[in-house]
Amino acid sequence: MPLPDPPVGGLLRRYANAGEPVRCEPVAEGLLNRGFRLVTTRGHFFLKHHLDGDRTAIRRQHRATARLGALGLPVAPPVPAADGDTVAVLDGNHYALHPWVEGRHRGGAQLTAVESRRLGALLGVVHTCLEQVMGAQEDRRHTVRQQPGGDPGCDPGRADPRQTFALIDELLVRARGRRPRDSFDELAEHRLRERRTLLELHAHRRPEAGAEPATGWVHGDFHPLNLLYRGAEPAAIVDWDRLGVQPRAEEAVRAAVIFFVRPVGELELPKVRAYARAYRRAAGACAAELAAAVHRVWWERLNDFWILRWRYQLHDRRADPQFPAASALAVWWTREYEAVREAFAG
């Protein structure tokens, strides 16, 4: 059932200087929230509809961005209402109003080596500043580890090949049985069989369960669609819904893998190297920490089928375009494992 449009008039009445509504247009839609470009007589805003409705978590995100903004990081903290609250609840729905940030998204192919270094340094500063503004003031018990793609509670070290084999079998049945079949289904079947072979060959390389990585506050979903550029400079890091306590180095690796993957499923290793060195300097992370994170995220990728789960289990095809590169990456990464580890840790 389609969600109702936000009650713009009622929302704006809660703000002292937001003006009267002129138009409200959807700009993004996801599992965690909906976004709208709201134009009023006083300016342009981003209206966010938080679908999860966890007011405590939303306010934590708002406090984090406000504190990071005070430190000079490129963020877009919410606009407080007349009563000072940053979360507006109407008819049981949770909304937040943010200033509109003009900018564009840039993937790794659009970044130079210098800009790749700046990207790594930016994420390193985000991690160190989050520890500064959140470490002693927020309760870590309310955070969860989350996998890219939306599955909560993911731990790469606990990914069990036996469970992955069962999932592969289920997805194969669904891909083979889909009618009418298309080229995506054929590629999915090929990659599933290929991944099962890889897991059979590399099951002994599963990360040790007792080796806990260093954790800290992280953005949780740092990728090109959550970073706006104005020219060559980052204008705003957005979408903090997955703010939480996770292994910091793993976020650095995951972000690089998303930014710097080519359409054929290979990483631009020179840019990865520039990014990773800058991240290590800014975050104070050692080479061994990045190397361990590379291994854990590689193992996660070998066991990860979130795009196929969305398509075949949830009947959601929004992530389909990502599948060719993402599925090829797991194969290429396994073959070039040492080169990838050296790019992050060398």
Side-chain angles (χ1 to χ4, degrees), residues 74-76 99-106 115 118 227-237:
V75 291
W100 181 263
V101 178
E102 288 291 348
R104 63 190 182 97
H105 305 293
R106 302 179 70 196
E115 291 167 340
R118 290 176 181 168
L227 179 59
L228 287 167
Y229 278 86
R230 190 176 295 118
E233 296 299 322
I237 305 166

Side-chain angles (χ1 to χ4, degrees), residues 13-166:
R13 283 193 288 272
R14 296 182 173 226
Y15 296 85
N17 299 304
E20 297 297 320
V22 175
R23 65 178 184 272
C24 183
E25 303 168 341
V27 295
E29 186 169 352
L31 293 181
L32 297 179
N33 57 74
R34 296 193 299 164
F36 301 85
R37 182 169 187 167
L38 175 59
V39 180
T40 77
T41 54
R42 294 290 183 88
H44 293 223
F45 300 90
F46 177 73
L47 176 61
K48 189 168 186 175
H49 178 190
H50 290 267
L51 298 180
D52 56 6
D54 185 342
R55 194 184 305 187
T56 299
I58 298 168
R59 284 176 172 154
R60 182 187 302 121
Q61 299 157 23
H62 292 174
R63 287 193 297 271
T65 53
R67 294 167 183 168
L68 292 174
L71 293 176
L73 271 73
V75 291
V79 178
D83 61 2
D85 201 347
T86 58
V87 182
V89 183
L90 278 82
D91 301 325
N93 294 305
H94 294 69
Y95 301 94
L97 195 64
H98 298 258
W100 181 263
V101 178
E102 288 291 348
R104 63 190 182 97
H105 305 293
R106 302 179 70 196
Q110 299 169 293
L111 301 179
T112 65
V114 171
E115 291 167 340
S116 300
R117 286 198 295 272
R118 290 176 181 168
L119 178 67
L122 174 62
L123 183 57
V125 171
V126 167
H127 286 173
T128 56
C129 287
L130 278 173
E131 281 301 297
Q132 178 180 339
V133 302
M134 302 289 286
Q137 303 178 56
E138 301 289 346
D139 188 348
R140 295 177 179 227
R141 293 175 298 174
H142 294 293
T143 64
V144 295
R145 302 189 60 181
Q146 294 205 359
Q147 175 182 11
D151 292 336
C154 172
D155 181 343
R158 295 195 180 100
D160 188 337
R162 293 170 298 181
Q163 296 176 358
T164 305
F165 291 143

Side-chain angles (χ1 to χ4, degrees), residues 155-216:
D155 181 343
R158 295 195 180 100
D160 188 337
R162 293 170 298 181
Q163 296 176 358
T164 305
F165 291 143
L167 176 60
I168 288 173
D169 290 341
E170 177 191 343
L171 293 173
L172 276 171
V173 170
R174 291 175 181 262
R176 289 166 176 165
R178 188 175 174 277
R179 295 292 183 273
R181 278 170 60 85
D182 57 24
S183 59
F184 186 104
D185 301 307
E186 294 173 0
L187 177 62
E189 181 178 351
H190 167 71
R191 292 302 191 195
L192 286 164
R193 289 188 280 104
E194 181 181 53
R195 192 77 62 84
R196 182 162 54 193
T197 299
L198 283 177
L199 279 167
E200 289 170 350
L201 290 172
H202 297 282
H204 64 285
R205 299 175 66 184
R206 179 182 180 182
E208 296 181 10
E212 291 297 327
T215 61

Side-chain angles (χ1 to χ4, degrees), residues 234-311:
I237 305 166
V238 300
D239 196 353
W240 292 78
D241 297 271
R242 293 180 178 177
L243 173 72
V245 177
Q246 299 181 21
R248 294 179 302 172
E250 287 181 22
E251 170 156 273
V253 173
R254 289 193 190 98
V257 167
I258 299 172
F259 268 96
F260 299 114
V261 65
R262 296 187 175 116
V264 294
E266 301 175 0
L267 295 178
E268 295 186 81
L269 292 183
K271 292 182 180 180
V272 169
R273 184 175 294 105
Y275 159 96
R277 288 178 177 174
Y279 171 80
R280 295 199 325 254
R281 285 194 298 270
C286 66
E289 185 178 353
L290 266 293
V294 167
H295 185 70
R296 290 172 65 85
V297 177
W298 164 76
W299 180 255
E300 175 185 271
R301 288 292 183 270
L302 277 186
N303 288 269
D304 181 24
F305 295 96
W306 73 269
I307 298 174
L308 296 185
R309 290 178 62 184
W310 274 26
R311 177 182 173 92

